[in-house]
Amino acid sequence: SQTIHQWPATLVQPVGSPLSLECTVEGTSNPNLYWYRQAAGRGLQLLFYSVGIGQISSEVPQNLSASRPQDRQFILSSKKLLLSDSGFYLCAWETAGYNSPLHFGNGTRLTVT
Amino acid sequence: GIQVEQSPPDLILQEGANSTLRCNFSDSVNNLQWFHQNPWGQLINLFYIPSGTKQNGRLSATTVATERYSLLYISSSQTTDSGVYFCAVVKFRDFGNEKLTFGTGTRLTIIP
């Protein structure tokens, strides 16, 4: 069966420090991969999605970037964190193709101080 | 883009009660999903239901695509049903933009 791993679960980082969040999927090949952010008590904002290795689409211009170095690995990065980058970050995957269920990782709660 | 509205925004019920959550969308869709986010933030996919009716235990969902709405039913609610329920859709034939658009959610609180 397919599983998605996301780490770390929580992270406290100072302003100006770098960020690297990692997500991996097991049990499937060539998934579509997504990074979402959720501010406290708010809805989900799509940040990046990827349909293949090295293929990244950005939905919102911001202080973050994403990379997909391997088929089932998706990384969210920042060179210098801002206070506004605080939030709950969720990785998600779906079977490539057309209209399949979306499955989320457990998320990373990031606090920038 | 497509608009997704969920109602009610908040719902407080006694344990054992039944509830109906609604999702309205502004255009034709070929993908509709319901998610539950528990109080710890974990998001679980409940249903993939672009049309018709599905049931999974105490939960069921119905999508009437021609009238642009979907309903999520929770029967005999339990405290573990608490959390936020999200509806998400993909607009029909929105080629090159087949990503889910999420509603703002319904926050359900079940009181023991």
Side-chain angles (χ1 to χ4, degrees), chain B residues 66-84:
Chain B
T66 54
E67 298 188 19
R68 300 182 184 175
Y69 73 88
S70 182
L71 301 174
L72 178 67
Y73 305 96
I74 304 173
S75 64
S76 304
S77 53
Q78 302 174 358
T79 55
T80 52
D81 295 329
S82 295
V84 182

Side-chain angles (χ1 to χ4, degrees), chain B residues 51-68:
Chain B
S51 63
T53 297
K54 289 186 177 180
Q55 181 159 8
N56 185 1
R58 295 181 296 102
L59 273 62
S60 64
T62 295
T63 297
V64 184
T66 54
E67 298 188 19
R68 300 182 184 175

